[in-house]
Structures are given as C-alpha cells and as structure tokens.
Amino acid sequence: TVTGNISLSSGNTLTIEAGTTVKFDLNKVLYIYGTLIARGTNSSNITFTSNESTPSASDYVFKFFESSVDASFDGDGNYSSGSILEYCIIEYGQGVYLNYAFPFINNCTIRYNGTYPGIYGSAPSGVSGKITNNQFYNNSEGGLRFGGNGGVALISNNNIYNNTCSSCIQNYGAGANISSTTIFSNNTVKNNYLTNGRDGGGIYAGSGSRVINNKIIGNTTNGDGGGIYGDGGAYIANNIIYGNSAGDDGGGINIHHP
C-alpha cells in the first residue's frame, strides 16, 4: 500500500512482479523519473488501484516525467528495454500522465479513471513509441489523449469503449483525442459519449494525425462528428463508421477545413 508520495529518481529502476496489487491511499502520487518495469502476464496481472473502501475515479496520481527512460524496440519492433506497463490494470486514479515520456503500454486494462483521460501525454522528440492491445473503458474524462512533440506514437489494436467526457483535456474526443504525429490504426472505438457540446464523440483527429483501418461504432456527441471529428490536416482512410450520432453536424464524420 502506498501511504505517502513516491518518487522514483532518475537512474533508478523499479520492477513490479506479476500478480502484485499496488494500492494508493487517497491523493497519493507515484512519480516516475527513472525506469518502471511492470510486466504482468495474461493470467497474473499487476493492479494499480485505490485503497479507499469505496474507490472512485481520481483517487491517486500516476505520472511519468521527461527524464524517465522511454521504451526501446528491436529491429522487429519487439520491446527490448526501458519503461513498460504490460498486463496491468490501472483503475480509480487520474489516468497515467506521460509528461514527454513514453513507456511501452501493452495488454493493459485502463478503467474507472477521472480528472484526465485514461492515458494522456505526447511522444518526446526523436522517440517512436507504442500503445497497443489495451482495453480502455468507463473512464469519466475520455479514454486517451495523445499527441506528438517531435516523436511518433503508434496507437493500435486497442478497444476503446463506454468512456465519457464532460470537461476532458481540450474538451474533445470522448474515446480518443489524437494529434500531430500520431498513427491511430486497427482500433475499435465504440459507445463513447461526449457530453459538453464539443466535437468528436468517438475520435477527435487533430492536424497531422493518421486514422486508418479502425471500427468506429455507436459513439455520440451533442456537438459535431459523432464518430469522428477531423480537424484540418488529419488523414482519415479505410475506417468502418456506423451507428454514430451527433446533435449538430456529421453523425458519422465531420471534417473541418480552416
């Protein structure tokens, strides 16, 4: 149980074993400046959760900083070193904030988080990172928000569903809010609901993003773009889009040209 704030300093490595449950007392924080290796297995997840008797979204903070060690991959694209969250359950916090940091996030369940999206941040300059094979659901301020800061993010093969957003970061995209050099491919984005009158019930695709080969189903906004709201400069191709609705324009898709 985390009873006080924890800061993993630069140059140090924290390894969390499969099957471990990490519980946070109310409003405690985990700051990562070094290397975090949290690798569960399909049958033995690592869980980050609240220690409250009645847990709720936003009970604790989980944040990676710029000095943390980004994940590296070999020539075949397989993880080789650096920070990793794999087969983890991350729940009842404020999401995972990647402050110009990029651990490999793979096969995780990200649910019941609030204040911020389940995962939010940007790819640091010169870094190519991955967010793959995860489940994002029932997050109250969006599933994920990711952009580029000179780096490249590949977000693929995730299921993003039943997330809501009333005041999430930038107020757009209840399922996913992506921008810049982000490649968003082969994901299923389903039954997300944007409630604040803004745009992108399923996906908000900002300038420079690429939205390819996704299934975008049953998402809702009371603004524009029930399935996708595409800002100027977004590339959107080969997606299956149906059953979405918007209070204003573009139940399936709305493309904005400035």
Side-chain angles (χ1 to χ4, degrees), residues 9 16 27 38 50 58 61 66 74 77 83 87 94 104 115 146 148 166 185 208 219-220 223 229 236-237 245 250 258:
S9 59
I16 301 176
N27 297 324
S50 171
S58 307
V61 177
E66 186 173 3
D74 64 21
S83 294
Y87 287 108
Q94 295 184 17
F104 181 33
T115 304
F146 216 84
S166 59
S185 65
N219 302 283
T220 304
Y229 182 88
I236 301 171
S245 62

Side-chain angles (χ1 to χ4, degrees), residues 149-211:
N149 187 50
V152 176
L154 174 63
I155 301 173
S156 65
N157 297 302
N158 301 283
N159 290 315
I160 303 168
Y161 59 97
N162 295 345
N163 301 284
T164 59
C165 171
S166 59
S167 59
C168 49
I169 290 178
Q170 294 187 344
N171 297 312
Y172 300 101
N177 179 325
I178 58 172
S179 61
S180 192
T181 49
T182 300
I183 302 168
F184 189 85
S185 65
N186 298 300
N187 303 285
T188 297
V189 182
K190 185 176 182 179
N191 295 340
N192 300 284
Y193 185 29
L194 186 65
T195 64
N196 59 8
R198 298 297 182 92
D199 307 319
I203 301 170
Y204 177 88
S207 179
S209 64
R210 298 172 65 84
V211 180

Side-chain angles (χ1 to χ4, degrees), residues 92-116:
Y92 296 117
Q94 295 184 17
V96 179
Y97 180 25
L98 309 180
N99 185 24
Y100 303 115
F102 212 157
F104 181 33
I105 303 175
N106 184 50
N107 280 310
C108 292
T109 297
I110 297 127
R111 64 189 183 189
Y112 312 139
N113 297 286
T115 304
Y116 301 103

Side-chain angles (χ1 to χ4, degrees), residues 1-3 20-28 30 46-62 88-94 109 111-113:
T1 300
V2 177
T3 59
T20 301
T21 296
V22 181
K23 294 185 176 182
F24 292 81
D25 281 355
L26 188 63
N27 297 324
K28 300 310 177 187
L30 174 59
I46 294 168
T47 301
F48 297 88
T49 192
S50 171
N51 195 38
E52 293 293 286
S53 58
T54 305
S56 60
S58 307
D59 278 353
Y60 63 92
V61 177
F62 190 175
C88 294
I89 298 170
I90 301 164
E91 62 183 12
Y92 296 117
Q94 295 184 17
T109 297
R111 64 189 183 189
Y112 312 139
N113 297 286

